[in-house]
Amino acid sequence: MTNSERIYNSFFYMGISKEQFHKIKYEILEDNRLTVSAGAVCTSLFWIISLILSTHSNSYYACRIVYIVALVVSLVCLLGARFLIKRRPGAILVVVTLFSFMFLSAGIGIAYCQPDVRTATMIAFAIIVPTLIIKNTITDIIMELITIIAYIILCNSVIQPDIYYWGLTNLFIFSVAGILIGHFINKERCGRFVNAESARELAEVQKKYAYCDPLTGLKNRRAFEEKLNEMESSKNDYSIVMLDLNGLKRANDTLGHEAGDELLVAASMCLVQSFNGCGSIYRIGGDEFCVIFNGSLGEVNSCLASLETNTANWKGKYINSFSISYGVALSDDEGDISSLIKLADQKMYENKRNYYKKEA
């Protein structure tokens, strides 16, 4: 990554790449939604207390319009965070911007209406806003610049020069400090989200390979055994189809393991095509497969007929066509799942013996 790319990512994507940002944007959205929701409750209480104080103090009374407007905006942001964003996630940008500008505008308003040490409120808001919500640094820079310009235009004629210049100097210093602090805080927050996303992806990969055969992509024996445990208490009708790939050893011995692997992958593809989502397919051994089927015997036979057609018509790099021996047992045939599998196995081996007799 070039320096210009790093700077771009730092300003627009909080130090992470665009690809990483898009992976975690929903986590950022939810974090911001919760922050605005909690922040709007706190600011609403703050403005209500300020309004109550304004009825007993002349110094607070001068700012009552600011408190009322800020309270209304806080409540709008609260409703937006609680209800609107859940229905329209894209509204998060509007709500976050409104919430941030509510702080900064209130600070300017207080400084304008009561130009004394309460100008420090404006300065405090300037450093708080960039650290509250996850947003890119360029947005914070624009917001703080607008605040400084608004202060220069509105307050120059109403604040005493010594307080005005003290406020302007500190506003500039603390705006820069707020932007820098917010920049590093947001980078750290986004980094945590990226790490959490990476951990989730790793867990999903580990889970996938814990239950998935890496060669064929089918579910493996571990997944098969867990499925059997689930089915022990099942009262639903089902069929067990045990299958065994014919000629795998011969292919390995005469053409090499690449040919054997090709046959295993071809068998899995033909099984998936033939059963077409109607059953759970497992590779339970070297060349052994099992299908747990929830359909009727007629549907099973239709799928097996399709399997015979698909395997006969298959053409590969090393071998053209192959076959699979199979045996079917219905849940009505035996009392428990183990006996059912044994029965399907017996039928499959009988089918396999007949295949090799014809070959001989």
Side-chain angles (χ1 to χ4, degrees), residues 211-213 216-221 223-224 227 241 243 267-284 288-293 307:
Y211 293 94
C212 177
D213 175 57
T216 63
L218 299 177
K219 296 175 183 178
N220 62 13
R221 188 172 191 89
F224 175 66
K227 181 65 175 178
V241 185
L243 307 104
S268 67
M269 290 173 59
C270 289
L271 283 167
V272 171
Q273 290 170 1
S274 302
F275 284 88
N276 194 27
C278 296
S280 299
I281 307 170
Y282 303 85
R283 182 188 177 196
I284 57 175
E288 295 177 274
F289 300 86
C290 178
V291 179
I292 299 175
F293 195 90
L307 177 65

Side-chain angles (χ1 to χ4, degrees), residues 34 58 188:
L34 294 174
N58 289 333
E188 192 272 335

Side-chain angles (χ1 to χ4, degrees), residues 189-206:
R189 284 176 180 171
C190 289
R192 285 206 314 268
F193 283 129
V194 169
N195 290 337
E197 179 65 21
S198 298
R200 277 196 297 271
E201 288 179 351
L202 178 61
E204 286 175 5
V205 170
Q206 289 173 335

Side-chain angles (χ1 to χ4, degrees), residues 2-35:
T2 64
N3 287 332
S4 60
E5 288 173 328
R6 288 193 184 94
I7 293 169
Y8 177 83
N9 287 340
S10 200
F11 270 93
F12 288 91
Y13 295 105
M14 290 76 77
I16 60 177
S17 69
K18 185 177 180 180
E19 291 73 21
Q20 288 174 321
F21 174 80
H22 284 292
K23 282 185 178 181
I24 63 168
K25 63 181 180 181
Y26 294 109
E27 285 80 1
I28 292 175
L29 183 151
E30 182 61 13
D31 188 276
N32 281 345
R33 189 188 71 80
L34 294 174
T35 300

Side-chain angles (χ1 to χ4, degrees), residues 294-354:
N294 294 322
S296 65
L297 180 60
E299 291 173 315
V300 174
N301 289 334
S302 176
C303 290
L304 290 172
S306 175
L307 177 65
E308 290 180 353
T309 302
N310 288 335
T311 55
N313 293 335
W314 180 83
K315 295 186 183 299
K317 179 180 177 181
Y318 298 98
I319 297 173
N320 292 330
S321 81
F322 64 97
S323 65
I324 299 177
S325 297
Y326 54 81
V328 182
L330 305 178
S331 54
D332 294 338
D333 295 337
E334 294 289 342
D336 60 83
I337 189 73
S338 299
S339 301
L340 196 64
I341 291 171
K342 192 175 292 184
L343 177 61
D345 239 354
Q346 289 171 356
K347 292 181 178 180
M348 182 270 292
Y349 280 115
E350 183 180 344
N351 190 319
K352 199 170 186 70
R353 281 193 295 271
N354 290 334

Side-chain angles (χ1 to χ4, degrees), residues 232-245:
E232 286 290 351
S233 57
S234 175
K235 295 181 180 179
N236 297 327
D237 291 333
Y238 55 87
S239 306
I240 297 291
V241 185
M242 300 298 290
L243 307 104
D244 195 281
L245 179 58

Side-chain angles (χ1 to χ4, degrees), residues 97 100-101 103-105 107-108 121-132 135-152 167-168 170-183:
T97 304
S100 299
F101 268 121
F103 267 105
L104 296 172
S105 301
I108 295 292
T121 306
M122 172 190 66
I123 296 166
F125 287 165
I127 199 169
I128 289 170
V129 167
T131 64
L132 278 176
K135 54 189 179 300
N136 58 43
T137 304
I138 199 71
T139 300
D140 283 327
I141 291 172
I142 292 169
M143 284 186 171
E144 298 288 354
L145 280 174
I146 292 172
T147 303
I148 293 169
I149 293 169
Y151 178 79
I152 291 170
L168 179 59
N170 282 281
L171 177 59
F172 180 79
I173 292 171
F174 281 96
S175 292
V176 173
I179 290 167
L180 291 174
I181 293 169
H183 175 75

